[in-house]
Amino acid sequence: MKRGQIKPVPGEIQKGEDQLGRDAYHKIKAEVHFRLIEELDLNSIDELSRDILTASIRDALQEIMAGESIPLNQRERAMLISDVMNEIAGLGPLEPLMRDDTVQDILVNGYAKVYVEKSGVLYESPIQFRDNKHLMQIIDKIVAPVGRRIDESSPMVDAKLPDGSRVNAVIPPIALDGPALSIRKFGHNPLKAENVLQNLTLTGEMIGYLKAAVRSKLNILISGGTGSGKTTLLNIFSSFIPGNERIITIEDSAELKLQQLHVVKLEARPPNIEGKGEITLTDIVKNSLRMRPDRIIVGESRGAEAMDMLQAMNTGHQGSMSTIHANSPRDALTRLEVMVSMGTAFFSEKSLRGLVAHAINIIVHLARLPDGTRRVLSISEVIGMEGDVILLQDIFTFEQRGVDNKGRICGKFNSTGIMSIFYDHMQSYGIKLDPAIFKFQKEV
Ligand SMILES: Nc1ncnc2c1ncn2[C@@H]1O[C@H](COP(=O)(O)OP(=O)(O)OP(=O)(O)O)[C@@H](O)[C@H]1O
Ligand SMILES: [Mg+2]
């Protein structure tokens, strides 16, 4: 295997290893499927129990097998029944991946290439679709129930599965090698503070500091690249908010799972097929201010809503949080400034920057490292402005040192030795933080 090539999922039957040829298998499957469609009332399939459906599939299979001379062994028979079942009552070939809790992301590049991410590492899956038409059918099945449409005139779509998983599909003519489907599965059990401590995303000292920051109502921005774990951290930080505060969460696609009782969850809405009825994040952030929130949590800052969010952070809704797509804490500030400028035409560059510097107290920056681990690379405090420049000060950092013989990245979590400028502020909230956390080192 070439270096850098994506490996197959370990422990699964690999492509080309099944006894029956792929084409023969798909032919029988299509025939069983067709016969079932003729026999069953498709509208009532949702009401049929799995047992009845399995029995009908087995009968149809039996009949077809009687007329043809294609041998199916026990395993192939079981596989065919479950495949047809998935085809009728689920997402076809994707169904086993949807049920597999160890799969976090599913990425389909045309019908014959399916990749999965498990524990942060990307693998090639043996699963395939029959052809691109089959893949298109499954995509239609995903987007139609949520009132979205995908065709040549609107070839890109975002949708959500009933379980909350986030889906994006792009089809030809935009996608050149057949439909591309990306699914970010919505973990039924999002990671908790103890999980990210255990897998060394960050250390106990850093969590202690962040807990104090959340409790003492500092405004926090979580920055990082795609899939670096921003939303996961936001969910964990939200769990530190005391239960007696009123929390409003505002998201493009509801992913957060807060444990507190007093939470209002709001979700933006794309326009419908006629292009009407869109509710933007900006609309919702504006509205949320009239709902007497104690804290506002914006799932991801992407555009004009950042202006209203920062104003809220500056005016009585301290302790608010959001995430942002960025390559460094400094980049996060720059991007936020650009977003804020989309929300208004009346402020000078300097005053916008001032607004950002004033609103954001802490930036937590994380990354997905090449070995699949997530690490908080820095926790920085915004300490003010000097002339036109926002001053940032790192409190904790991760220093990458090298790679061990198993390909795992080694390094060191450090405190920079600088005392938090919010130390007294945290104390004023009755939070006693051990000053020793600002002088620690931990090799990992
Ligand atoms: N600290 C972590 N350790 C291990 N796995 C993690 C960690 N954080 C997140 N993950 C996994 O990585 C995937 C992406 O996480 P998450 O949705 O939090 O990322 P994100 O940065 O918000 O992504 P996006 O940019 O797409 O919004 C999830 O499947 C999640 O389970
Ligand atoms: Mg996210």
Side-chain angles (χ1 to χ4, degrees), residues 105-346:
D105 282 295
I106 306 173
L107 309 161
V108 183
N109 306 355
Y111 76 96
K113 280 203 203 111
V114 178
Y115 297 93
V116 293
E117 184 172 321
K118 290 177 171 225
S119 315
V121 184
L122 200 59
Y123 297 102
E124 183 169 5
S125 158
I127 284 167
Q128 297 193 346
F129 292 79
R130 190 174 61 242
D131 47 28
N132 279 337
K133 208 171 128 209
H134 182 201
L135 173 54
M136 264 316 290
Q137 282 164 359
I138 300 293
I139 293 177
D140 276 331
K141 213 165 168 182
I142 293 173
V143 303
V146 288
R148 315 287 337 259
R149 180 185 70 174
I150 186 157
D151 55 28
E152 246 183 60
S153 63
S154 64
M156 298 189 276
V157 74
D158 278 317
K160 221 165 63 155
L161 293 173
D163 74 349
S165 299
R166 232 166 57 184
V167 181
N168 175 274
V170 191
I171 63 167
I174 303 298
L176 300 179
D177 293 326
L181 180 67
S182 321
I183 303 180
R184 158 68 44 79
K185 274 176 59 186
F186 190 45
H188 297 283
N189 297 310
L191 297 176
K192 296 204 165 67
E194 56 263 33
N195 306 120
V196 295
L197 277 175
Q198 202 179 12
N199 71 16
L200 292 168
T201 302
L202 74 182
T203 68
E205 290 83 357
M206 294 155 91
I207 280 273
Y209 165 86
L210 289 165
K211 198 181 244 179
V214 173
R215 294 251 162 96
S216 66
K217 304 196 109 187
L218 294 173
N219 293 324
I220 301 177
L221 187 63
I222 301 169
S223 87
T226 315
S228 54
K230 302 181 293 296
T231 305
T232 303
L233 270 198
L234 184 60
N235 207 48
I236 292 171
F237 294 175
S238 303
S239 72
F240 303 148
I241 299 174
N244 59 0
E245 295 187 27
R246 177 169 164 83
I247 308 169
I248 300 194
T249 67
I250 302 166
E251 296 174 271
D252 250 335
S253 151
E255 289 183 275
L256 295 171
K257 282 196 171 170
L258 268 56
Q259 299 305 312
Q260 290 87 342
L261 291 174
H262 199 155
V263 180
V264 183
K265 293 174 69 168
L266 304 174
E267 190 185 58
R269 232 177 90 157
N272 63 15
I273 292 179
E274 288 98 51
K276 295 198 182 110
E278 178 177 17
I279 308 288
T280 64
L281 284 179
T282 310
D283 298 332
I284 303 182
V285 174
K286 282 201 163 85
N287 190 79
S288 72
L289 299 179
R290 294 182 219 120
M291 299 171 70
R292 202 216 149 267
D294 288 314
R295 312 238 188 181
I296 298 172
I297 298 180
V298 179
E300 185 176 332
S301 302
R302 295 172 186 271
E305 77 285 350
M307 182 70 190
D308 297 278
M309 182 183 80
L310 290 191
Q311 281 182 332
M313 286 174 160
N314 268 334
T315 55
H317 304 98
Q318 283 95 358
S320 295
M321 297 184 248
S322 187
T323 74
I324 192 167
H325 219 277
N327 301 325
S328 67
R330 178 64 62 189
D331 183 39
L333 289 174
T334 313
R335 281 175 194 240
L336 196 56
E337 211 180 296
V338 172
M339 289 173 194
V340 173
S341 68
M342 293 173 187
T344 173
F346 307 117

Side-chain angles (χ1 to χ4, degrees), residues 81-97:
I81 291 173
S82 99
D83 278 1
V84 174
M85 188 107 100
N86 291 339
E87 210 64 53
I88 292 181
L91 296 181
L94 298 179
E95 204 57 31
L97 301 179

Side-chain angles (χ1 to χ4, degrees), residues 399-411:
E399 203 182 298
Q400 190 173 323
R401 286 275 175 89
V403 181
D404 73 6
N405 53 11
K406 290 200 175 118
R408 288 178 307 205
I409 286 167
C410 320

